[in-house]
Amino acid sequence: MTTSTDATGLPDITATRDLMGHPRGLLYLSFTEVWERFSFYGMQALLVLYMVDQALQPGHVEAIAGMPVFRAGLESVFGPLSIQALSSQIFGLYTAFVYFTPVIGGWIGDQVLGQKRTVILGAVLMALGHLLMAFEVSFLIALLVLILGSGCLKGNISAQVGALYGKTDSRRTRGFSLFNLGINVGAFLAPLACGTVGELYGWHYGFGLAAAGMVAALITYLAGGRHLPPDTLKSRGTEKRPSLAPGDGKIILALVGMLVLGTFFSTAYAQEFNVMTLWYRETTDRHILGFQTPVTWLPALDGLFIVALRLWPSGCGAIRRRAEPSPATWSRSAGGA
């Protein structure tokens, strides 16, 4: 293994290949995402049950800071909300903003802090958010911190994957595919681990395990720092930024409008994961060989199927020769979710 330098004198990370012919930085970014998604989906698997069974119940909901104002705002739009309906609205809004805030986090990474520091900030915020879930009073604050943390981390870490490769490097699509595999491995393992612990031993233990996963993600990321691409942040005044071409402003406004509309769509769409979990608990027989499977195992199937379908072509030579899917078609690599 050799390491060269590029024209700027910085290490040329594209010349270092360690993971199936890919830059070593991909290994660290992929495992960072495994742990980050373990943290994210571990908490999310418990969120619905925690709200319906405890946090939003009388005697508990009164302790949540800001809940009276927040609930009044929702009910002014949707009318009186039952516990389950309120849970669905909270879950939907939380998920929608998790998908929207990477736009803000990407701007911070590009213009203010740089990608590396923004990812670190996001990881710290997400770990803090999971820890705040241990206290009922900080429930809404915890969700807000998690939204901000995910926004800082997600867009910037994906950008770093792309920066590992040159613009014409044919390995880039395959690199994103491997990165996406790590995302779904974490999404598969999280409900099995955090969900089981939360259901059997207490909600806050499950949230604590999710926080531990986020700390593991931060440690993994810091350990691979020297293998990651340099930030694209430019020093103020050292380089003139290109001006917008005629018509670019309309394109940018259109993209922002699409993101806003997508946020509203995600608010409604994400509620299916709330409703499905409760329906599964109430209407299905979860006994397998005398063991009743935890409700939180249901979300693991999503990650399991994606990982299985991702690995299966790799073992079939004829299928493997097919063109890789475009990164734009992947369900998890850009979002959350």
Side-chain angles (χ1 to χ4, degrees), residues 305-325:
F305 289 142
I306 295 176
V307 170
L309 292 173
R310 179 67 263 174
L311 292 178
W312 176 66
S314 300
C316 303
I319 298 176
R320 190 176 184 180
R321 287 192 291 272
R322 295 179 183 175
E324 291 286 346

Side-chain angles (χ1 to χ4, degrees), residues 59-334:
H60 295 274
V61 68
E62 296 86 357
I64 298 176
M67 179 57 76
V69 175
F70 181 75
R71 183 169 190 168
L74 289 178
E75 291 185 337
S76 68
V77 177
F78 301 104
L81 297 173
S82 66
I83 291 176
Q84 181 177 333
L86 178 60
S87 170
S88 291
Q89 294 298 339
I90 292 173
F91 190 92
L93 287 169
Y94 163 70
T95 305
F97 281 105
V98 161
Y99 280 93
F100 179 79
T101 51
V103 177
I104 301 172
W107 179 83
I108 294 174
D110 286 342
Q111 305 292 331
V112 182
L113 296 178
Q115 285 83 26
K116 291 181 180 179
R117 283 182 289 183
T118 307
V119 168
I120 293 171
L121 173 62
V124 172
L125 286 173
M126 291 187 71
L128 175 61
H130 289 307
L131 290 174
L132 288 173
M133 290 290 291
F135 309 97
E136 288 182 350
V137 66
S138 55
F139 174 69
L140 291 179
I141 298 173
L143 294 181
L144 175 61
V145 172
L146 286 168
I147 289 169
L148 296 175
S150 183
C152 288
L153 187 145
K154 290 184 65 60
N156 287 285
I157 198 169
S158 296
Q160 287 184 310
V161 174
L164 290 171
Y165 306 93
K167 293 182 178 180
T168 61
D169 195 329
S170 61
R171 299 173 299 155
R172 175 183 283 186
T173 297
R174 183 66 178 171
F176 269 107
S177 184
L178 293 169
F179 180 72
N180 184 60
L181 179 63
I183 290 173
N184 288 288
V185 167
F188 165 60
L189 295 176
L192 300 180
C194 301
T196 302
V197 169
E199 280 194 72
L200 299 183
Y201 300 101
W203 308 116
H204 301 309
Y205 290 106
F207 295 142
L209 185 57
M214 198 63 244
V215 172
L218 178 58
I219 293 173
T220 303
Y221 185 81
L222 292 174
R226 65 190 183 93
H227 301 291
L228 302 181
D231 287 343
T232 58
L233 181 67
K234 307 297 183 184
S235 299
R236 296 183 184 275
T238 61
E239 182 174 325
K240 183 179 179 180
R241 298 185 183 277
S243 58
L244 294 177
D248 283 352
K250 293 181 179 179
I251 295 175
I252 293 173
L253 288 176
L255 290 173
V256 172
M258 291 177 62
L259 288 169
V260 172
L261 292 175
T263 299
F264 286 111
F265 166 78
S266 297
T267 301
Y269 174 75
Q271 293 182 26
E272 73 168 290
F273 299 101
N274 184 330
V275 175
M276 183 66 73
T277 299
L278 298 176
W279 174 85
Y280 175 66
R281 181 172 68 172
E282 298 299 328
T283 63
T284 59
D285 183 357
R286 295 181 281 116
H287 289 86
I288 300 177
L289 299 177
F291 170 70
Q292 180 170 284
T293 60
V295 178
T296 49
W297 285 18
L298 177 65
L301 294 176
D302 186 25
L304 173 63
F305 289 142
I306 295 176
V307 170
L309 292 173
R310 179 67 263 174
L311 292 178
W312 176 66
S314 300
C316 303
I319 298 176
R320 190 176 184 180
R321 287 192 291 272
R322 295 179 183 175
E324 291 286 346
S326 165
T329 66
W330 296 331
S331 61
R332 294 189 188 274
S333 60

